[in-house]
Amino acid sequence: MPELPEVETIRLQMKEEIEGKKIESTKVISDKPLGNTTVEEFKERVEGAFIKDVKRRAKILIIKLSTGDSLLIHLKLTGRLLLLRPSVPIEKHTHLIFNLNDGHQLRFWDLRRFGYVKLVSGKLKEVLELKKLGPEALELSLNEFRNILAGKRSGKIKSLLLDQHFIAGIGNIYSDEALFYAGIHPERNVATLKEDEIARLHEGIRKIMSSAISYRGSSMDDYVDLFGKQGDFVPRHKVYRRMGKPCKACGSLIKRIKVGGRSAHFCPKCQV
DNA sequence: GTCGATGTTATCAA
DNA sequence: TTTGATAACATCGA
């Protein structure tokens, strides 16, 4: 479940390890992640290209190629990007392999196959899935946060935090953790939020996700970093998947409910 | 063997 | 308009 901190962890590692490298060849084991692009076109346009930059927008990784094309990578629920030696056996659920000119392979692995690696040409500003995204969660000032909240007349705050058109980058883990930080119940109606609660929520989003990046993300199920290592943030979770366990602040038992079809974890005493 | 849960997003229905 | 259900897919545990 890579969210912004997990994707950013991989981006920072990729920038360090593969920027400037050349993609000598590719192997397409499954073409599903490619979307509408044919294997022939994918190979033709990617092979021989240099990796100029590795960027991120929300939970989407963007590899800029020397040809002007870009690769948009979304890991969705279970996707992994791994940098490995070619001698490492190809694991089940590996769908794409990029052979780099330094002898390493970048492999795309995805258990549930929801993720994608899409080749897009030219201007990223016209790519629909990027255009539709709301402001970056970590680049949003309190004023901007207040303004976009003010535009909402109703709705539960948890669902809003998960809506990528509203704010981009937050997923189920960090929405729960940010709401705990702010002492706000996940089902609170947005319109009832007080000024100090909005400020605390804004602060929580920034503090928790920045901290999660420094711990290289949360490894709950399938997420690992570029080197296959687990992130270290899970022990810092206050509520996410801690149902039935004592709240780290007050000792009350953490609850789990469904909000908008998603599981929401919270402390019934700290989050009124 | 079946059911439900896991969690991101597009799409479609109400 | 907005919300909610569903589907895409694979695995695990009850």
Side-chain angles (χ1 to χ4, degrees):
Chain A
M1 42 241 58
E3 303 179 23
L4 188 153
E6 289 74 30
V7 177
E8 180 66 7
T9 298
I10 293 172
R11 184 189 77 84
L12 291 167
Q13 294 174 332
M14 286 218 288
K15 207 161 165 56
E16 186 73 26
E17 299 290 328
I18 69 169
E19 196 173 87
K21 304 281 155 62
K22 182 182 175 186
I23 301 169
E24 299 271 19
S25 62
T26 60
K27 179 167 182 169
V28 179
I29 299 164
S30 161
D31 63 359
K32 183 165 188 289
L34 305 186
N36 294 327
T37 309
T38 63
V39 177
E40 295 71 39
E41 189 184 5
F42 185 81
K43 290 178 88 76
E44 193 182 301
R45 286 170 58 185
V46 171
E47 294 182 352
F50 285 84
I51 295 165
K52 258 179 53 185
D53 201 0
V54 186
K55 309 184 85 144
R56 179 188 59 74
R57 175 77 170 100
K59 304 171 191 173
I60 300 172
L61 279 163
I62 302 165
I63 297 181
K64 300 212 116 200
L65 299 176
S66 53
T67 55
D69 291 340
S70 301
L71 290 169
L72 259 52
I73 305 177
H74 201 313
L75 301 172
K76 291 283 181 89
L77 300 184
T78 56
R80 291 176 175 171
L81 281 168
L82 297 164
L83 194 65
L84 295 165
R85 299 257 170 216
S87 56
V88 177
I90 308 218
E91 267 191 85
K92 194 177 172 185
H93 308 302
T94 301
H95 306 306
L96 302 172
I97 299 175
F98 298 85
N99 291 297
L100 305 178
N101 64 342
D102 69 347
H104 280 97
Q105 289 184 335
L106 180 68
R107 299 185 189 174
F108 176 71
W109 180 100
D110 189 9
L111 191 144
R112 287 172 71 181
R113 300 158 67 97
F114 290 168
Y116 60 73
V117 177
K118 285 201 281 197
L119 184 65
V120 298
S121 53
K123 341 139 222 19
L124 291 175
K125 288 187 191 76
E126 288 173 23
V127 178
L128 194 65
E129 64 209 278
L130 296 176
K131 221 160 53 169
K132 290 194 303 190
L133 292 168
E136 280 289 310
L138 286 183
E139 291 167 17
L140 185 70
S141 72
L142 174 56
N143 249 325
E144 291 165 323
F145 187 54
R146 197 185 284 129
N147 288 340
I148 57 173
L149 275 174
K152 280 278 170 186
R153 297 244 50 86
S154 69
K156 294 168 180 173
I157 184 61
K158 162 86 175 173
S159 302
L160 207 55
L161 291 177
L162 289 173
D163 184 350
Q164 303 300 302
H165 312 111
F166 173 70
I167 308 180
I170 303 174
N172 216 22
I173 298 174
Y174 299 102
S175 57
D176 279 359
E177 295 296 322
L179 286 168
F180 175 84
Y181 181 96
I184 299 170
H185 191 286
E187 290 184 297
R188 270 285 292 286
N189 187 305
V190 184
T192 70
L193 289 178
K194 299 186 183 65
E195 184 54 40
D196 63 317
E197 292 176 316
I198 294 172
R200 283 206 306 274
L201 184 54
H202 175 257
E203 186 181 66
I205 291 167
R206 300 175 69 86
K207 281 201 173 170
I208 290 162
M209 291 215 291
S210 310
S211 172
I213 292 169
S214 69
Y215 283 99
R216 297 176 6 273
S218 300
S219 290
M220 294 295 326
D221 297 315
D222 294 287
Y223 166 74
V224 290
D225 70 9
L226 187 64
F227 306 109
K229 273 183 66 180
Q230 299 211 321
D232 293 328
F233 197 66
V234 172
R236 274 88 191 167
H237 289 181
K238 300 283 203 288
V239 288
Y240 187 75
R241 290 220 200 153
R242 294 195 66 250
M243 55 282 191
K245 295 188 175 152
C247 171
K248 293 180 179 179
C250 77
S252 305
L253 300 186
I254 301 300
K255 283 193 172 176
R256 179 172 72 174
I257 56 172
K258 286 274 177 200
V259 180
R262 311 293 301 281
S263 60
H265 311 74
F266 69 103
C267 169
K269 194 169 167 201
C270 297
Q271 297 169 263
V272 263

